[in-house]
Amino acid sequence: MLLTLSTTHRPATDLGFLLHKHPERLHSQEFTFGEAYVFYPDVRDDLCTAALVLDIDPVGLIRKKGAAHDGFALDQYVNDRPYAASSFLSVAIGQFFRTAMTGRSKDRQDLAYADIPYEVRIPVLPCRGGEITLRRLFEPLGYTVAASRLARDEAFPAWGDSAYFDVTLTVTARLASVLKHLYVLIPVLDDDKHYWVGDDEVDKLLRQGEGWLETHPDKDLIVRRYLKSFRSLTTQAMERLSDGEPEPDAATEGEQEATLEKKINLNQQRLDWVLATLKAREVKTVVDMGCGEGRLVGMLSKDLAFEKITGCDVSLRALEIARARLNFDRLPEFQLKRIQLLQTSLVYRDKRLTGYDAATVIEVIEHLEPERLEAFTRTIFKDAAPGLVILTTPNAEYNALFENLPVGQFRHHDHRFEWTRAQFETWANETAARYGYTVEFAGVGYSHDTLGAPTQAGIFVKS
């Protein structure tokens, strides 16, 4: 099983930095289904190619599954697993190029954000539905598709064509986007998966499909095939896609992080600090961006110094919980005039978010994919442009003090990054300068002598 990824960007050898795989080394990894390798067959300034090769052990797979495995017995030993691209290849892409798929590059971050030319070749790609389906999936994403159908057996032309194609895809795009497209669409074209599909597959699909799947003209086909036509999972995914971005489960959102921080009561300390900061600045109108279940909105509603309070979130379920928490159905008329809840995304312009004295963004930014940060900052600081922005995010340095948090792991499984104080200050200073704000920094919670406070905050004031 083979996939090659090439670029003619100069110097093309930068591909090694983007993939986090050195061109002069052979990279290998063992999987339950066999062994995989990444190496560079061509390394030049004008062309660099990375190859991902999977050596599948089909007999070993069946023996591991045992006699209870369903299916036609002979088919388990005579199949296309060793050579045809499938969900095995997606797993290898996800493991080998995990960091590249997040859009991060320690040494070439500017290139990770840039659209550069790529050519992807998959010599044996199953296309259930033929070349038409192949083009329907990739061409709307900007790819040029060249496909040659493979014969069942070249020695026996009368047997006709197979369901496999030799495919070359060319595109100018971000590397992270290319890898995510391949990760999702390869098993979709195969219309099968080698592992059990459960609820977590919905989250995986929406995470890798963020930014492109919701607008794809064949998203119904992609979702249905990726989730193996399980109706409940397909319905759940389509409902969440209708919001424009992956929606967390409001009933459990933040549970891992809350449990971790419970001993130091950090969430309440954050909310108390935000409320005190707003009052000290004599703010009258506030929009809480990413309000979740409405805890801060509820605190603000009890203080009549705040004349207008709006909570907004992408999750309809979170807003429903917020409505119940705030007893919306029983609020007196004067409170209904002060408080509102809006469903919206923080990466798209929304005129309803303009005109406020202050915006609060509490423990939200770390849930965004790095490539969406630019859209987020534009939405907050340019489009909404409140006079004051209060933003908090975890301080990654403080994680070392959490006894139950393994080294290198984020506080919450949905976090896409966690910044050190220096990283946060760099981002905040650049953002403030770009959009005409000044920024001052604060810490929330007990401050360690060297590791700082568990929560770091930026207070942005429009110049």
Side-chain angles (χ1 to χ4, degrees):
M1 192 182 301
L2 173 66
L3 178 149
T4 61
L5 176 68
S6 305
T7 185
T8 54
H9 165 82
R10 285 180 178 268
T13 50
D14 280 344
L15 183 61
F17 291 105
L18 293 173
L19 290 175
H20 297 263
K21 295 289 181 287
H22 198 287
E24 295 181 2
R25 290 179 51 198
L26 172 66
H27 307 269
S28 63
Q29 187 170 342
E30 289 188 5
F31 294 90
T32 57
F33 48 79
E35 216 165 353
Y37 307 89
V38 170
F39 61 94
Y40 292 75
D42 207 341
V43 182
R44 307 196 308 264
D45 282 346
D46 60 338
L47 174 67
C48 188
T49 299
L52 171 58
V53 178
L54 269 67
D55 185 8
I56 301 291
D57 179 10
V59 175
L61 274 173
I62 300 309
R63 289 175 176 170
K64 288 176 184 176
K65 290 182 179 179
H69 179 70
D70 294 332
F72 177 51
L74 182 60
D75 182 56
Q76 302 306 313
Y77 290 92
V78 183
N79 52 57
D80 64 1
R81 289 174 186 155
Y83 61 86
S86 65
S87 58
F88 290 111
L89 188 59
S90 288
V91 171
I93 290 172
Q95 289 296 316
F96 270 113
F97 306 134
R98 181 185 304 171
T99 303
M101 289 175 71
T102 67
R104 300 196 303 268
S105 177
K106 180 180 178 181
D107 299 296
R108 295 291 188 274
Q109 189 60 53
D110 56 331
L111 278 182
Y113 285 148
D115 293 338
I116 65 176
Y118 292 103
E119 179 182 282
V120 178
R121 186 182 174 212
I122 308 174
V124 185
L125 179 62
C127 298
R128 316 301 176 187
E131 186 176 346
I132 292 176
T133 300
L134 173 68
R135 293 185 178 278
R136 282 172 54 187
L137 293 181
F138 280 99
E139 288 182 344
L141 299 171
Y143 291 82
T144 299
V145 178
S148 174
R149 193 159 194 161
L150 302 176
R152 289 181 183 273
D153 192 322
E154 293 181 356
F156 300 93
W159 289 3
D161 293 330
S162 70
Y164 306 96
F165 288 78
D166 183 347
V167 175
T168 300
L169 307 167
T170 55
V171 69
T172 299
R174 294 180 179 182
L175 177 61
S177 298
V178 174
L179 294 174
K180 289 178 179 180
H181 297 157
L182 295 171
Y183 181 91
V184 171
L185 296 180
I186 286 173
V188 167
L189 282 164
D190 188 28
D191 198 12
D192 195 11
K193 281 194 172 181
H194 72 275
Y195 55 85
W196 172 253
V197 173
D199 291 339
D200 60 329
E201 287 297 292
V202 176
D203 295 328
K204 191 187 303 180
L205 171 62
L206 298 186
R207 184 167 60 251
Q208 304 303 344
E210 185 176 8
W212 63 272
L213 181 55
E214 64 266 23
T215 58
H216 196 290
D218 273 306
K219 68 179 179 181
D220 292 15
L221 172 68
I222 295 170
V223 170
R224 186 176 71 253
R225 285 192 175 188
Y226 190 89
L227 299 172
K228 295 189 71 171
S229 297
F230 288 146
R231 182 176 298 178
S232 62
L233 299 180
T234 301
T235 300
Q236 180 188 151
M238 293 303 295
E239 288 177 350
R240 290 170 61 177
L241 275 173
S242 67
D243 291 334
E245 63 181 54
E247 175 184 314
D249 184 349
T252 59
E253 176 62 19
E255 184 175 333
Q256 175 187 350
E257 188 174 8
T259 301
L260 191 69
E261 299 175 348
K262 185 176 181 180
K263 287 184 178 180
I264 57 176
N265 198 21
L266 186 55
N267 185 51
Q268 190 60 49
Q269 290 186 65
R270 273 194 297 263
L271 297 181
D272 290 341
W273 177 83
V274 171
L275 178 59
T277 303
L278 290 170
K279 288 183 68 65
R281 306 271 173 162
E282 298 183 346
V283 167
K284 300 297 182 185
T285 61
V286 185
V287 54
D288 185 23
M289 298 183 170
C291 67
E293 299 175 6
R295 288 182 172 87
L296 180 58
V297 172
M299 291 175 63
L300 295 172
S301 69
K302 296 174 182 178
D303 192 326
L304 296 181
F306 299 103
E307 298 171 358
K308 182 180 180 182
I309 307 158
T310 297
C312 67
D313 203 283
V314 70
S315 170
L316 287 172
R317 282 174 291 176
L319 294 174
E320 289 172 359
I321 294 173
R323 288 182 63 88
R325 178 187 295 275
L326 296 167
N327 292 314
F328 246 71
D329 295 336
R330 300 179 181 179
L331 286 179
E333 186 175 349
F334 86 93
Q335 286 284 52
L336 291 174
K337 291 180 179 179
R338 293 177 64 223
I339 308 167
Q340 64 174 336
L341 297 174
L342 303 175
Q343 193 273 331
T344 191
S345 167
L346 297 185
V347 295
Y348 298 107
R349 183 180 183 182
D350 190 331
K351 294 181 179 179
R352 297 175 298 174
L353 305 183
T354 61
Y356 288 86
D357 296 340
T360 55
V361 191
I362 311 305
E363 306 298 289
V364 171
I365 190 172
E366 62 273 8
H367 292 270
L368 297 172
E369 294 288 354
E371 60 264 31
R372 308 201 84 179
L373 282 178
E374 185 176 346
F376 164 82
T377 55
R378 185 172 59 249
T379 298
I380 304 297
F381 294 96
K382 181 181 179 182
D383 298 334
L388 175 72
V389 177
I390 299 175
L391 186 148
T392 75
T393 191
N395 168 22
E397 296 162 82
Y398 194 91
N399 289 352
L401 298 179
F402 290 115
E403 295 179 1
N404 297 326
L405 186 65
V407 175
Q409 184 171 314
F410 295 153
R411 296 185 198 177
H412 187 270
H413 65 81
D414 191 52
H415 287 184
R416 299 297 181 257
F417 59 86
E418 289 180 1
W419 278 330
T420 64
R421 286 167 293 174
Q423 290 171 325
F424 176 59
E425 290 178 12
T426 297
W427 173 84
N429 283 318
E430 291 176 353
T431 299
R434 184 183 311 150
Y435 295 103
Y437 284 77
T438 59
V439 60
E440 57 186 82
F441 300 97
V444 180
Y446 166 76
S447 184
H448 187 271
D449 290 342
T450 57
L451 301 178
T455 292
Q456 52 187 334
I459 303 171
F460 300 80
V461 180
K462 196 157 186 64
S463 302

